C-alpha cells in the first residue's frame, strides 16, 4: 500500500489502496452506523420539544437553568452521534466501492465537525450530572444554605461546566495541532485525532461523570431509581432522548405547559401553578416533583 491515489488534482483527499480482505466486514459497520444515524436523529428530535417547553415558559427559565443546560447538552450529544454515523457510513461505503482509505493526520481529524460535537456530547452531559448530584447532596444535608444560594449557584455551576468543556476541547485541539505532521488512523477517532492519553481522558470523564452523578444521588436519597447510564454510543443517545418523557410523566407543571402549547389544556402562564419545587434526578436528568 505505497501508491497514493488523489481523486482530483489539488484535492487534499489523498487515499491509499487496500486489499479486499482489509474491507471485509465494512458492510456490517455501515449497517451499525446507519443505526447511529437513526437513533441520533430520533433522540435529537425528542429534545427539541423539551427545549421549547423549558425556554418558552419564564418560570422554567428562571428556576431550572441547570435542566435547560442538560437538555441542550443532550441535544448536542444526539446530533453528534447522528453526524458520526453519517461520517462513518460515508467512510466505509467509499472504502468498499473504491478499495481505498483516506490518508489523515491529527489536524485533519480534529477539524471534522462530528468529532468536536462528540467531544461536547461526551464531556458536557456527565459533568452536569455530577453538578446535579452535588446539588442534591447539598440540598439534603445543608438545606438552608442550598436555598439561600440557589440563584447564584445555577449561574456559576453552568459557567463552570461550560468552561470545563471549552478548556478540555482546547487542550485536544492544541495536541492535534502539535501532532499535525503525524499520520493517524484513517477513521479519525478521538484517540487518533488527539492522542491516546486524551482519548482515555474523554472516556474516563464520561464514565466517572455518569457514575458519580448516580452515586451522589444515591447518597442524597438513599435509594436507586434507575440503572446507571452507560457510555456505549446507543445507550448514551437513548439516554439523552428520554428526558422529555420522564418530565412529562412525573412533573405536573411541565405536563400542563406541554398541553398548553399543543392547545389541549393547561393553565395560562399568568396563573400560578403548583410549586413546592423539589428536584430529583432520574436517568440522565432530574425530575421535578411538585
Amino acid at each position: 500500500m505505497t501508491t497514493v491515489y488523489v481523486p482530483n488534482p489539488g484535492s487534499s483527499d489523498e487515499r491509499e489502496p487496500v486489499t479486499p480482505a482489509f474491507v471485509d466486514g465494512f458492510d456490517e459497520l455501515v449497517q451499525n452506523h446507519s443505526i447511529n444515524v437513526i437513533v441520533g436523529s430520533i433522540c435529537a428530535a425528542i429534545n427539541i420539544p423539551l427545549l421549547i417547553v423549558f425556554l418558552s415558559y419564564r418560570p422554567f427559565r428562571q428556576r431550572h437553568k441547570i435542566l435547560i443546560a442538560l437538555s441542550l447538552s443532550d441535544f448536542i450529544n444526539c446530533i453528534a452521534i447522528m453526524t458520526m454515523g453519517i461520517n462513518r457510513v460515508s467512510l466505509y461505503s467509499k472504502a468498499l466501492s473504491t478499495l481505498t482509505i483516506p490518508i489523515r493526520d491529527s489536524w485533519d481529524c480534529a477539524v471534522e465537525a462530528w468529532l468536536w460535537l462528540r467531544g461536547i456530547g461526551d464531556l458536557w452531559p456527565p459533568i452536569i450530572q455530577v453538578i446535579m448530584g452535588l446539588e442534591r447532596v447539598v440540598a439534603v444535608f445543608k438545606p438552608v444554605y442550598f436555598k439561600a444560594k440557589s440563584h447564584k449557584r445555577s449561574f456559576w455551576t453552568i459557567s463552570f461546566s461550560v468552561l470545563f468543556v471549552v478548556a478540555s476541547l482546547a487542550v485536544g485541539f492544541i495536541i492535534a495541532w502539535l501532532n499535525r505532521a503525524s499520520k493517524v488512523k484513517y477513521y479519525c477517532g478521538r484517540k487518533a485525532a488527539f492522542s491516546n492519553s486524551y482519548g482515555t481522558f474523554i472516556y474516563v470523564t464520561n464514565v466517572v461523570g455518569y457514575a458519580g452523578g448516580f452515586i451522589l444521588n444515591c447518597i442524597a436519597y438513599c435509594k436507586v431509581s434507575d440503572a446507571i447510564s452507560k457510555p456505549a454510543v446507543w445507550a448514551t443517545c437513548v439516554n439523552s432522548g428520554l428526558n422529555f418523557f420522564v418530565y412529562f410523566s412525573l412533573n405536573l407543571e411541565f405536563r400542563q405547559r406541554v398541553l398548553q402549547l399543543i392547545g389541549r389544556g393547561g393553565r395560562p402562564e399568568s396563573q400560578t401553578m403548583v410549586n413546592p419545587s423539589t428536584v430529583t434526578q432520574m436517568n440522565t436528568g432530574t425530575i421535578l416533583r411538585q
Side-chain angles (χ1 to χ4, degrees):
M1 297 196 303
T2 57
T3 303
V4 175
Y5 165 71
V6 183
N8 298 306
S11 170
S12 61
D13 184 22
E14 295 185 353
R15 306 179 69 85
E16 60 182 350
V18 294
T19 63
F22 184 90
V23 299
D24 184 39
F26 276 21
D27 52 347
E28 183 177 347
L29 292 175
V30 170
Q31 295 176 1
N32 290 339
H33 286 289
S34 296
I35 297 175
N36 285 346
V37 176
I38 296 171
V39 175
S41 301
I42 293 172
C43 293
I46 292 171
N47 274 279
I48 292 174
L50 178 61
L51 284 167
I52 291 174
V53 172
F54 274 130
L55 294 174
S56 65
Y57 186 48
R58 181 178 296 177
F60 283 171
R61 294 196 302 270
Q62 293 174 341
R63 295 198 308 264
H64 307 309
K65 296 180 180 67
I66 193 70
L67 290 181
I68 294 173
L70 179 65
S71 300
L72 179 59
S73 67
D74 283 337
F75 176 74
I76 294 173
N77 186 39
C78 294
I79 292 295
I81 291 171
M82 180 190 72
T83 54
M84 179 188 69
I86 293 172
N87 175 275
R88 290 290 198 256
V89 168
S90 174
L91 173 70
Y92 295 124
S93 296
K94 190 170 184 178
L96 281 168
S97 62
T98 66
L99 287 181
T100 62
I101 57 174
I103 300 173
R104 304 277 182 81
D105 59 43
S106 293
W107 189 247
D108 290 334
C109 294
V111 296
E112 292 193 1
W114 74 268
L115 193 58
W116 53 263
L117 284 173
R118 280 290 283 157
I120 297 173
D122 282 333
L123 292 170
W124 202 13
I127 291 301
I128 294 178
Q129 295 277 0
V130 171
I131 291 171
M132 296 171 83
L134 287 171
E135 286 187 348
R136 300 288 65 76
V137 170
V138 174
V140 169
F141 293 101
K142 298 288 184 179
V144 176
Y145 175 83
F146 178 84
K147 186 175 181 180
K149 302 293 184 180
S150 59
H151 295 295
K152 293 182 179 179
R153 183 187 64 252
S154 294
F155 172 78
W156 289 110
T157 53
I158 293 173
S159 297
F160 169 79
S161 69
V162 172
L163 288 174
F164 175 83
V165 173
V166 171
S168 299
L169 292 177
V171 170
F173 281 112
I174 290 172
I175 293 172
W177 176 255
L178 293 176
N179 295 328
R180 62 189 182 279
S182 303
K183 300 301 179 183
V184 298
K185 297 289 187 180
Y186 67 95
Y187 49 78
C188 277
R190 283 159 291 186
K191 290 185 177 181
F194 304 120
S195 77
N196 289 335
S197 298
Y198 187 84
T200 301
F201 162 74
I202 294 286
Y203 296 137
V204 169
T205 301
N206 190 271
V207 174
V208 172
Y210 283 121
F214 177 80
I215 292 170
L216 287 167
N217 278 274
C218 287
I219 293 173
Y221 299 105
C222 300
K223 61 181 178 180
V224 178
S225 60
D226 200 353
I228 186 171
S229 299
K230 295 178 177 61
V233 171
W234 295 348
T236 56
C237 190
V238 173
N239 183 52
S240 294
L242 288 177
N243 289 339
F244 180 87
F245 302 103
V246 174
Y247 299 152
F248 186 86
S249 299
L250 299 177
N251 180 270
L252 174 61
E253 189 175 7
F254 185 90
R255 184 163 60 252
Q256 288 174 331
R257 180 58 181 167
V258 172
L259 294 176
Q260 180 183 347
L261 287 174
I262 63 177
R264 292 186 54 190
R267 301 181 185 177
E269 191 167 319
S270 59
Q271 296 184 7
T272 303
M273 297 183 180
V274 179
N275 184 30
S277 181
T278 303
V279 182
T280 57
Q281 182 179 18
M282 289 185 64
N283 206 298
T284 65
T286 64
I287 300 167
L288 318 175
R289 298 188 184 274
Q290 305 185 339

